[in-house]
């Protein structure tokens, strides 16, 4: 991997235009429809072979529909590492497809150098009964995977769920998490759908973090740990698919969203990136 200050915009889907940093851009839009939402292992391997050599430590890429590519970015690391993910979804589904934006955490857990995966800010239904039966509960019970879903508004019994966080206590939990890592190296991935809808526009349901929350969390990580790589994805882009089954599954799974005008979407997301990227890739 290159120096930790290096960064790249891998353009898969035109999710980012005129990003506020002079990042070099690799045009990978020919891959976008093939990889979006899910892809067969053969295509994933072919894409990785084509782009592996030019990928730096920090990456900006497309919609959260491509979040499974984070499993490739972290694959390049050699030292033991903890993956810290800020995401509105746990992305821990054990059902097929093997390579999909809702199941990629399991690919990361297969890597020998990844010691643990910790996901913060899940606000959707997947961490709660009955939907959690499709998640990788085995890894959670083994302590290899932590999910930290928002429990505000849930019954007191739910608030006792392992890893559950509340608006008024999550920072204390995060500080303890950082302390317990004892100086380990971390890789940080940020899906913008973990943010409130007024601060990021995505292809998925919005989360509950404010940008100031992520700024605080990234600062805490830098204070005690070494961020050896990271990525940001999740900006809205118009979906295009290469295969019928892929399109069918994606359209079934995505929420129906009321979106602002495209220029406003880009303005909102660029403002979020301008605040988060310097803290991630400092």
């Amino acid at each position: 991997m290159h120096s930790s200050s290096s960064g790249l915009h891998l353009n898969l889907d035109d999710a980012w235009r005129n990003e506020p940093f002079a990042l070099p851009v690799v045009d990978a839009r020919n891959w976008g429809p093939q990889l979006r939402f899910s892809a067969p292992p053969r295509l994933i391997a072919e894409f990785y072979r084509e782009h592996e050599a030019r990928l730096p430590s920090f990456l900006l890429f497309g919609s959260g529909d491509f979040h499974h590519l984070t499993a490739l970015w972290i694959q390049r690391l050699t030292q033991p590492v903890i993956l810290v993910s800020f995401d509105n979804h746990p992305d821990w589904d054990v059902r097929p497809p093997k390579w999909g934006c809702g199941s990629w955490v399991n690919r990361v857990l297969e890597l020998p150098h990844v010691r643990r995966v910790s996901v913060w800010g899940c606000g959707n239904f997947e961490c709660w009964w009955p939907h959690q039966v499709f998640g990788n509960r085995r890894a959670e019970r083994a302590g290899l995977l932590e999910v930290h879903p928002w429990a505000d508004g849930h019954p007191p019994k739910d608030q006792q769920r392992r890893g559950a966080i509340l608006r008024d206590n999550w920072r204390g939990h995060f500080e303890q998490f950082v302390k317990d890592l004892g100086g380990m190296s971390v890789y940080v991935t940020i899906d913008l759908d973990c943010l409130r809808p007024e601060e990021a526009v995505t292809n998925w349901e919005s989360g509950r973090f404010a940008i100031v929350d992520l700024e605080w969390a990234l600062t805490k990580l830098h204070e005690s740990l070494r961020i050896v790589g990271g990525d940001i994805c999740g900006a809205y882009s118009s979906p295009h698919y290469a295969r019928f089954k892929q399109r069918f599954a994606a359209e079934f799974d995505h929420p129906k969203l009321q979106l602002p005008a495209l220029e406003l979407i880009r303005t909102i997301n660029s403002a979020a990136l301008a605040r988060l990227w310097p803290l991630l890739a400092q």
Side-chain angles (χ1 to χ4, degrees):
M1 305 209 17
H2 305 169
S3 70
S4 62
S5 60
S6 59
L8 177 75
H9 171 204
L10 185 69
N11 184 12
L12 293 156
D13 58 348
D14 288 330
W16 298 102
R17 292 275 183 85
N18 305 316
E19 61 272 4
F21 305 97
L23 291 175
V25 180
V26 169
D27 187 347
R29 287 175 294 179
N30 60 312
W31 279 102
Q34 300 180 73
L35 300 178
R36 193 175 192 115
F37 186 75
S38 66
R42 174 186 57 81
L43 277 181
I44 292 286
E46 190 180 326
F47 165 77
Y48 187 49
R49 279 196 304 272
E50 184 175 315
H51 291 283
E52 178 185 10
R54 68 179 95 180
L55 299 176
S57 302
F58 294 92
L59 276 163
L60 174 68
F61 62 113
S63 159
D65 289 353
F66 297 97
H67 206 174
H68 43 300
L69 301 182
T70 291
L72 298 177
W73 316 152
I74 197 170
Q75 186 174 306
R76 300 165 300 139
L77 294 168
T78 53
Q79 70 266 54
V81 69
I82 304 288
L83 172 65
V84 181
S85 177
F86 298 97
D87 199 330
N88 193 40
H89 305 79
D91 293 344
W92 65 340
D93 201 313
V94 295
R95 296 170 295 178
K98 183 175 181 179
W99 283 92
C101 61
S103 60
W104 66 271
V105 159
N106 301 311
R107 305 291 74 76
V108 172
L109 288 168
E110 293 167 358
L111 300 173
H113 59 284
V114 176
R115 296 293 186 259
R116 195 182 347 156
V117 174
S118 188
V119 186
W120 292 79
C122 303
N124 78 329
F125 53 82
E126 292 174 75
C127 294
W128 307 98
W129 178 261
H131 304 280
Q132 65 176 1
V133 299
F134 299 120
N136 193 344
R137 302 297 304 288
R138 178 182 297 179
E140 189 180 25
R141 285 191 296 270
L144 300 173
L145 171 61
E146 305 169 354
V147 295
H148 296 278
W150 296 111
D152 300 88
H154 284 261
K157 182 174 178 290
D158 282 359
Q159 294 183 7
Q160 300 306 309
R161 184 211 192 282
R162 181 175 183 170
I165 53 175
L166 299 170
R167 198 55 241 176
D168 62 2
N169 72 13
W170 83 268
R171 290 194 180 196
H173 283 287
F174 192 82
E175 284 182 309
Q176 188 60 51
F177 162 72
V178 172
K179 184 179 177 184
D180 291 345
L181 290 184
M184 279 284 294
S185 295
V186 295
Y187 183 99
V188 179
T189 180
I190 299 172
D191 187 330
L192 293 186
D193 72 10
C194 74
L195 293 170
R196 303 179 304 182
E198 59 267 32
E199 295 194 290
V201 183
T202 79
N203 290 86
W204 295 90
E205 308 96 336
S206 295
R208 303 185 191 181
F209 275 131
I211 291 177
V212 291
D213 293 325
L214 295 192
E215 289 175 324
W216 174 86
L218 289 169
T219 301
K220 286 294 173 187
L221 290 170
H222 276 296
E223 283 175 1
S224 305
L225 308 166
R226 181 164 174 249
I227 298 180
V228 294
D231 62 62
I232 295 178
C233 69
Y236 175 83
S237 69
S238 178
H240 300 282
Y241 306 100
R243 300 175 303 282
F244 171 77
K245 281 174 64 177
Q246 170 200 25
R247 177 187 293 110
F248 178 82
E251 291 178 351
F252 177 80
D253 211 23
H254 278 82
K256 302 295 183 279
L257 302 172
Q258 294 292 319
L259 295 167
L262 187 57
E263 283 310 308
L264 181 55
I265 289 175
R266 289 195 171 133
T267 298
I268 292 169
N269 289 339
S270 292
L273 183 66
R275 292 171 62 177
L276 296 175
W277 184 263
L279 280 171
L280 176 65
Q282 63 180 238

